[in-house]
Amino acid sequence: GGGGGGEADRMEAGASVQLDNLADDSVATIMSFLPSDSILAASAAAARLVPTARADVLWLPRISRRWRFGAMPMSTEALLPGARSMAAESALAEAAQAPLHSQAGAFRFFAERCQRDVEVRLLALQLNEAVRHPEADAANNLPPGTVVRIVNLASTPQLNGALGVVGDRMSSGEERFAVTLPTSLRLLSIKGKNLEHCRPCPGEEEAQRRVVEAGAAAIDALARIAEITEAGSTLRRNVRFLLAEVTEQWAERQWRLLMADPGRTDLLEEGGLIVSQWAEPGTADVAAMRSRLAELASAVEARTTPAAPVRERVEAVNAVFFEEYRFAGDTENYYDPRNSFLHAVLERRRGIPISLSVVWAAVARRVEVPCFLLANMPSHLLIRVTMGGDGLRDDIFVDAFSGKIMDFGTFMRFTLSVAGTFDERFAAQVSASAVYARILRNLAHIYQEQAQHANTLPGRMSALHGLAGVCLQSLAILGTGRDSGMNGEVERLVSRREQVQSVLASLRGTGHGR
């Protein structure tokens, strides 16, 4: 009745007064705990909340969590993983100083990127149907791969307006179609009268071209599909083909950027970030990796200072690395590819000599330990720490696989044990690209072995995708391409990649099902 309405009006007025009494940063903090759809609902309910609901400080963190690839607000240039992460941190810090500002246009970016994700997912589903149904049924008014809009559903009206991709025509008496929703990948059975034709299937090649054309902006959406689809399904296999092509092209561009940036090339973890994101785009979190490296460096700083003798600083790094955080060589699964991925090494605290050395050196350099990796070492890579003496015989050497610190005599004996000879070139400093190339050679060997001994089709295809991607990245590090004067190594990599791609193409159509 009227009395009830008056009471509601008074409550709403009281709530408005209380809301107006809150500082902008308090309102932003409260709303930061809400999911995205609740923020939008809140802004529709109270005009006071509209500016906050569009503020960068709310949407920048969501952008960072949701998308690890592609452009960012206020930045269209391609950035290396570490630089991209730093830019995101800087933008968020600036936004926090002005809780109601939206200079970065983060809300609009979020909305547009969500729409782009939907388009990528629709194209992936269309490609999958084109592979499953290469011959279109002319008598079918909604052939597989058609994008449709759901309309006039009485039983589940919340689905009305949703887009989906048509699959098989159902075998029941009524005209029903299998329809997959692009966001959840939920499979529905919908009557034909409740489906509105939006656009036809572009065909396999055209759908693939459009996804690849989207570049890095397609990676997050594809990785999510690959993560939630059923193992062994045709959809997962086709999406992994798309994901492999897009991520390896992203990685190639990233390597070329890195090789052209002397200021970042020698930061060995930067190359590790590229390999990690290429290998496992759905799980490799750059911000988390950088945070863990900073955490390790802070633990070392608690034990020593940059003014302390170099040996003391080395021992402090070792104490944190091997005793406090218990990093160690993976002797049980030495040839596990994850032992070469920076994010996995930091998470599992296990690795092989070269990956553990990258982490050790990244931490040591943060506390001003002068060191570099010995990429010329045969079989087992070590770290050389320069002590400021007359040269090689005054320096010390660290084995990040075992934790041992060696003087020159011990280093000589170690080299003789693994190589059968000693050459001072084993201890020479080489370019960072030589370290990166060695990481990729290790992975190429691992993927080759996995492909030859895989017991399942998905396992073999995964290894072949890895091998093809490693070849392309190695070419980028060499700094040359097919149109340049090709030396023997480049020719070998190009030939190997073409052979692998040929095998993958022959395997792609294997199997049936969704």
Side-chain angles (χ1 to χ4, degrees):
E7 179 65 22
D9 290 341
R10 285 192 295 275
M11 291 177 64
E12 183 178 346
S16 298
V17 171
Q18 293 176 12
L19 193 60
D20 288 336
N21 288 337
L22 290 175
D24 292 343
D25 57 349
S26 298
V27 176
T29 299
I30 292 170
M31 295 185 72
S32 69
F33 290 97
L34 300 176
S36 301
D37 55 353
S38 296
I39 294 176
L40 299 178
S43 67
R48 166 73 171 83
L49 296 178
V50 173
T52 309
R54 302 294 187 268
D56 293 333
V57 74
L58 286 180
W59 296 101
L60 285 173
R62 286 169 165 76
I63 290 169
S64 295
R65 290 193 298 267
R66 192 180 185 102
W67 295 293
R68 295 170 177 167
F69 297 86
M72 298 186 305
M74 296 185 70
S75 175
T76 56
E77 63 177 322
L79 295 174
L80 290 163
R84 187 181 188 276
S85 177
M86 292 173 64
E89 291 173 6
S90 177
L92 182 56
E94 289 182 16
Q97 300 302 313
L100 295 188
H101 285 193
S102 56
Q103 284 183 304
F107 172 72
R108 174 175 291 183
F109 179 94
F110 184 92
E112 291 176 350
R113 188 72 191 268
C114 285
Q115 184 57 45
R116 188 177 303 176
D117 279 359
V118 171
E119 288 301 315
V120 169
R121 288 166 175 264
L122 287 171
L123 284 167
L125 291 170
Q126 288 185 299
L127 180 143
N128 183 61
E129 294 303 330
V131 172
R132 294 181 63 238
H133 303 279
E135 300 295 331
D137 181 3
N140 190 349
N141 62 328
L142 290 175
T146 303
V147 174
V148 293
R149 179 174 284 105
I150 299 173
V151 296
N152 301 324
L153 278 182
S155 57
T156 50
Q158 67 272 19
L159 292 177
N160 288 328
L163 295 177
V165 173
V166 173
D168 296 316
R169 184 193 292 244
M170 310 302 282
S171 58
S172 61
E174 296 179 287
E175 186 184 48
R176 285 181 171 270
F177 296 87
V179 176
T180 303
L181 303 183
T183 302
S184 64
L185 299 187
R186 181 181 173 188
L187 183 62
L188 307 172
S189 173
I190 306 289
K191 293 179 182 178
K193 67 179 183 179
N194 296 116
L195 299 175
E196 183 180 277
H197 186 287
C198 291
R199 59 176 181 264
C201 181
E204 178 184 350
E205 290 186 6
E206 178 61 17
Q208 180 171 337
R209 185 194 66 78
R210 293 182 192 177
V211 172
V212 173
E213 192 175 68
I219 295 177
D220 292 287
L222 293 174
R224 178 59 179 157
I225 296 176
E227 178 185 342
I228 65 176
T229 49
E230 181 182 353
S233 67
T234 304
L235 178 58
R236 173 179 278 194
R237 184 158 60 249
N238 288 321
V239 166
R240 284 187 63 82
F241 262 93
L242 286 174
L243 184 59
E245 182 169 0
V246 177
T247 51
E248 68 181 25
Q249 289 187 10
W250 168 86
E252 180 192 25
R253 289 191 292 270
Q254 293 290 304
W255 282 116
R256 294 191 187 281
L257 279 174
L258 182 57
M259 293 297 102
D261 186 350
R264 301 192 71 87
T265 302
D266 289 335
L267 299 175
L268 293 177
E269 64 267 31
E270 194 71 63
L273 296 176
I274 296 174
V275 173
S276 277
Q277 283 200 286
W278 159 74
E280 297 186 350
T283 57
D285 187 332
V286 172
M289 287 184 268
R290 293 180 62 244
S291 176
R292 176 52 60 87
L293 290 172
E295 177 187 326
L296 290 165
S298 295
V300 175
E301 289 169 346
R303 293 172 177 261
T304 187
T305 68
V310 174
R311 177 79 186 215
E312 180 182 314
R313 281 177 272 158
V314 169
E315 290 174 347
V317 175
N318 262 20
V320 168
F321 202 70
F322 299 107
E323 297 172 17
E324 187 174 339
Y325 281 82
R326 299 189 179 281
F327 280 86
D330 190 346
T331 56
E332 295 182 1
N333 298 290
Y334 190 90
Y335 295 104
D336 186 334
R338 293 179 299 169
N339 283 329
S340 296
F341 305 152
L342 183 59
H343 70 289
V345 172
L346 288 169
E347 180 182 335
R348 299 164 59 238
R349 304 181 190 183
R350 294 292 182 271
I352 55 178
I354 191 168
S355 60
L356 290 169
S357 294
V358 167
V359 177
W360 194 99
V363 174
R365 287 174 175 176
R366 282 166 165 79
V367 293
E368 301 182 28
V369 172
C371 61
F372 53 86
L373 274 60
L374 302 182
N376 284 340
M377 276 288 294
S379 180
H380 192 114
L381 186 143
L382 299 176
I383 303 158
R384 178 176 171 183
V385 179
T386 56
M387 302 295 287
D390 292 333
L392 179 61
R393 284 163 176 76
D394 294 317
D395 292 342
I396 60 176
F397 305 84
V398 178
D399 181 358
F401 192 76
S402 68
K404 294 178 181 177
I405 300 175
M406 311 177 195
D407 59 17
F408 177 70
T410 308
F411 167 68
M412 279 189 64
R413 290 190 292 273
F414 178 86
T415 303
L416 287 168
S417 70
V418 299
T421 186
F422 177 78
D423 190 323
E424 287 197 2
R425 287 177 295 182
F426 294 162
Q429 184 171 10
V430 297
S431 66
S433 62
V435 178
Y436 298 143
R438 182 160 173 168
I439 291 172
L440 293 173
R441 282 198 302 272
N442 286 345
L443 279 171
H445 173 73
I446 291 169
Y447 287 133
Q448 182 72 52
E449 289 295 309
Q450 286 187 340
Q452 290 177 351
H453 299 100
N455 296 321
T456 65
L457 177 62
R460 186 183 182 201
M461 294 178 71
S462 177
L464 289 170
H465 280 308
L467 183 54
V470 163
C471 289
L472 186 62
Q473 292 175 76
S474 298
L475 286 167
I477 290 174
L478 287 174
T480 184
R482 296 179 62 104
D483 296 330
S484 307
M486 293 170 60
N487 57 32
E489 176 67 6
V490 172
E491 290 179 347
R492 185 188 67 79
L493 285 168
V494 170
S495 175
R496 191 178 194 185
R497 175 173 162 78
E498 289 176 346
Q499 291 173 6
V500 171
Q501 288 181 310
S502 177
V503 174
L504 279 168
S506 68
L507 294 175
R508 183 170 183 175
T510 306
H512 301 281
R514 180 167 177 260

